[in-house]
Amino acid sequence: MLGTAEAMTDERPPLTEASRPVLPRYARLHYDKVRQRHVLLVPERVLVPDDTAIEILQLCDGKRTIGDIVDLLAAKYVADRDLIGGDVIVMLEDLRGRDFLVVVEGD
Amino acid sequence: MDDILRDDPMDTLRLLDSTAPITHVDFGIPAAVLAEMTHRCPLQCPYCSNPVELERSSAELTTEEWKKVMTELAELGVLQFHFSGGEPTVRKDIVELVRHARAVGLYTNLITSAVMLTEAKVKELADAGLDHAQVSFQGAESGVADRIAGFKDAHKKKLQAAKWLKDAGLPLTVNAVMHRQNLHQLPDIIEMAVSLGASRLEVANVQYYGWALKNRAALMPTVEQLDATTKLVEESRERLKGKLVIDYVIPDYYAERPKKCMGGWGRQFFNISPSGKVLPCHAAESITGLEFDSVRGNKSIAWIWQNSDAFQKYRGTGWMPEPCKSCDFREIDWGGCRCQAFALTGDAGNTDPACHLSPLHDKIFKLAQTEAATDVREFKYRNYANATPKGGEAN
Ligand code: SF4
Ligand code: SF4
């Protein structure tokens, strides 16, 4: 089990490298065999994440912190950690702003 | 890594080519399909979009037939499956069907009047993998709402069920169908949606075919009511940004141009009737003379979508008469709604009279105004007794 997702409020603190993001039960990353791409299924919509976003979302398991995710990506792509970190947070904040991402409290 | 998440409307998944001649286009399968699991419903909403010839339970697809349909849809590339009706939870196998839909990878949405839900049932549905629920409301409080629904304590039951759904961790959409007799409650409906913790509110003005056409004089809003509603929706959207998304459908009798009904006939949408007929629109059966193929026949759903007569007949622009034929908007609104054209002109192949270029537009507009000014309150409730018997004439 994933632990308790935080309540959705307007004044939630911003995501940090210590946050543990996870997709809520109603936002599902799904591999679409027919169109041969991953899609994110949400109420009444189908979002089409790009390859990087897919990779990030696959790492969001409610256990890894954003810091862990950034480490993994920085190592894999031999890229600047700060740059990746900023981008990851922007992408996840965007999803969280639409309630398609939550963070797990505690450890 | 700039363009991190491309947020596409479902259209892009439908792989359409709107410029090629219609007979040679392979229409991508829609991303979402609406399934009318049954026409049975404990409520009797006078604006119900079901056909006036309601299908009987004996005609409904069996559990195994629905499962086969879901599996086939998932293989074709359908991503979302809407359990609709009638009232889908009337079916005893609803939990089993939700579980199957999930097992084949479909995103599941329950469109429900919610009056038959119990706490245990909600939990079973959630455990079976239900992804999202839409609950209809007929007003903001019991007095108005229960009279419109034609069901005692409907409103109270809905409020309770909406809480159970939220408690089960499901995102909630509130559907509110609006008309002359409940538009004054919209401010309270908006507050209700917020306090229920809904993430979306659908404010849909009644569309007039099927049952709503029978009840038009009792439902048609005034122009003043509509203007006030549009203003209220705009203000509320602004005020509730980040909290509640409000979708708004205006009634097109009062519009300049018709709505792009169903995203264009046979372009982005189909639904399946309780007995398995594959329809280009949930009201398509109101058009007499159209024949619909069924999932029970020997044709695949993909074949029916691509080739069947009912889909081909009004697909694209080839069928269009003037003024649509030479109009710049023909590939924007696709000539409006076929069901409305049929209901108002007797020929589904006419320009939708909601369009100001239709020769009938003025007449329709005046009719709407006249009806809105009446004090007709009684409804012809949607039920089997008031339904047109199979093969009978509409009245
Ligand atoms: S509109 Fe009302 S009567 Fe029709 S199916 Fe929905 S709840 Fe039942
Ligand atoms: S004439 Fe036809 S295509 Fe042009 S705006 Fe009216 S309904 Fe749409």
Side-chain angles (χ1 to χ4, degrees):
Chain A
M1 287 315 301
L2 294 171
T4 2
E6 75 173 320
M8 288 164 203
T9 62
D10 276 330
E11 296 84 23
R12 50 196 161 195
L15 293 175
T16 66
E17 290 223 356
S19 313
R20 299 170 197 277
V22 69
L23 291 170
R25 58 168 289 162
Y26 54 83
R28 264 212 328 277
L29 198 60
H30 170 85
Y31 185 71
D32 179 346
K33 281 177 296 196
V34 175
R35 299 168 190 93
Q36 302 196 333
R37 70 205 299 182
H38 276 89
V39 290
L40 186 61
L41 302 175
V42 297
E44 304 285 318
R45 315 276 298 273
V46 178
L47 308 182
V48 187
D50 70 13
D51 291 346
T52 320
I54 291 161
E55 200 169 354
I56 298 168
L57 292 175
Q58 283 171 334
L59 293 170
C60 293
D61 59 1
K63 295 190 193 96
R64 289 189 187 91
T65 62
I66 293 184
D68 297 338
I69 293 171
V70 175
D71 287 341
L72 286 168
L73 294 174
K76 181 168 173 193
Y77 295 105
V78 205
D80 180 46
R81 197 184 178 288
D82 289 346
L83 199 68
I84 295 189
D87 286 345
V88 169
I89 287 189
V90 169
M91 192 280 268
L92 295 179
E93 278 289 15
D94 170 46
L95 271 188
R96 191 171 68 143
R98 295 185 275 172
D99 286 345
F100 300 151
L101 187 94
V102 291
V103 296
V104 176
E105 298 279 327
D107 358 61
Chain B
M1 243 172 61
D2 303 324
D3 182 21
I4 285 192
L5 197 84
R6 209 153 52 82
D7 181 356
D8 275 359
M10 289 207 236
D11 295 40
T12 51
L13 285 178
R14 294 186 182 105
L15 319 166
L16 298 180
D17 178 358
S18 57
T19 50
I22 211 67
T23 42
H24 305 297
V25 175
D26 263 4
F27 279 86
I29 203 82
V33 166
L34 185 103
E36 291 171 359
M37 310 305 295
T38 177
H39 278 161
R40 288 172 287 155
C41 181
L43 267 53
Q44 317 182 57
C45 308
Y47 53 73
C48 182
S49 64
N50 287 153
V52 287
E53 283 185 19
L54 296 169
E55 288 177 4
R56 299 269 163 189
S57 62
S58 54
E60 288 171 15
L61 294 183
T62 62
T63 310
E64 291 316 310
E65 284 175 315
W66 272 122
K67 285 186 179 171
K68 198 171 145 264
V69 165
M70 291 171 188
T71 307
E72 187 174 342
L73 292 175
E75 275 163 12
L76 284 173
V78 171
L79 299 169
Q80 300 205 351
F81 190 86
H82 302 296
F83 289 87
S84 179
E87 174 48 50
T89 62
V90 168
R91 285 193 62 120
K92 295 202 175 62
D93 53 4
I94 188 71
V95 174
E96 185 180 350
L97 291 176
V98 167
R99 191 175 298 117
H100 183 81
R102 276 300 303 268
V104 298
L106 293 165
Y107 190 89
T108 53
N109 177 27
L110 181 71
I111 303 176
T112 179
S113 68
V115 297
M116 294 176 70
L117 289 175
T118 59
E119 192 166 13
K121 186 66 136 206
V122 167
K123 202 172 163 296
E124 278 181 70
L125 286 165
D127 289 346
L130 184 64
D131 291 301
H132 173 220
Q134 275 175 244
V135 176
S136 66
F137 281 87
Q138 281 69 28
E141 47 75 42
S142 304
V144 163
D146 293 354
R147 188 178 81 83
I148 294 167
F151 191 87
K152 190 166 172 289
D153 290 336
H155 191 70
K156 209 171 85 193
K157 294 200 161 94
K158 285 161 187 276
L159 290 174
Q160 177 60 67
K163 288 202 185 80
W164 289 329
L165 289 161
K166 278 298 289 183
D167 290 347
L170 288 161
L172 179 71
T173 294
V174 167
N175 290 346
V177 176
M178 307 307 297
H179 45 82
R180 187 169 81 241
Q181 299 200 42
N182 70 359
L183 267 172
H184 62 287
Q185 296 200 332
L186 187 56
D188 291 337
I189 290 177
I190 295 173
E191 293 323 308
M192 180 186 80
V194 172
S195 67
L196 286 173
S199 35
R200 254 178 81 244
L201 168 64
E202 246 181 55
V203 178
N205 278 286
V206 170
Q207 305 287 331
Y208 296 97
Y209 27 68
W211 292 92
L213 193 62
K214 287 179 182 259
N215 284 292
R216 194 174 57 191
L219 297 168
M220 184 63 75
T222 64
V223 182
E224 294 72 34
Q225 263 184 318
L226 272 186
D227 290 346
T229 306
T230 306
K231 204 163 146 254
L232 173 69
V233 169
E234 278 163 11
E235 283 165 8
S236 306
R237 271 183 181 155
E238 190 54 39
R239 181 170 58 87
L240 299 170
K241 217 181 231 158
K243 231 179 186 175
L244 181 72
V245 174
I246 305 181
D247 289 335
Y248 180 50
V249 183
I250 66 156
D252 49 9
Y253 276 41
Y254 291 137
E256 278 275 282
R257 289 203 291 114
K259 63 183 180 298
K260 178 186 179 181
C261 194
M262 299 296 130
W265 185 270
R267 305 190 77 78
Q268 305 186 345
F269 178 89
F270 67 84
N271 79 326
I272 301 179
S273 84
S275 68
K277 280 182 263 183
V278 184
L279 309 173
C281 156
H282 52 264
E285 286 180 281
S286 64
I287 302 172
T288 51
L290 278 185
E291 294 285 340
F292 304 101
D293 284 288
S294 167
V295 300
R296 277 179 168 153
N298 51 14
K299 297 182 178 104
S300 70
I301 297 176
W303 187 94
I304 296 173
W305 165 250
Q306 300 272 356
N307 306 297
S308 70
D309 291 347
F311 283 89
Q312 292 292 47
K313 186 139 190 203
Y314 301 115
R315 200 174 238 161
T317 54
W319 59 273
M320 285 181 178
E322 292 297 352
C324 296
K325 195 178 189 159
S326 49
C327 175
D328 286 346
F329 290 103
R330 66 184 181 277
E331 291 189 354
I332 294 173
D333 61 37
W334 302 98
C337 172
R338 295 306 90 228
C339 304
Q340 186 153 278
F342 180 79
L344 298 178
T345 75
D347 180 354
N350 278 333
T351 296
D352 182 345
C355 178
H356 71 292
L357 296 173
S358 155
L360 283 163
H361 181 74
D362 283 345
K363 200 173 136 215
I364 297 301
F365 182 77
K366 289 208 183 79
L367 181 85
Q369 280 187 311
T370 312
E371 290 189 336
T374 63
D375 49 12
V376 177
R377 285 190 83 242
E378 305 84 77
F379 296 129
K380 191 153 199 193
Y381 283 109
R382 174 260 203 232
N383 54 41
Y384 282 92
N386 281 335
T388 309
K390 274 278 167 220
E393 286 296 305
N395 53 0

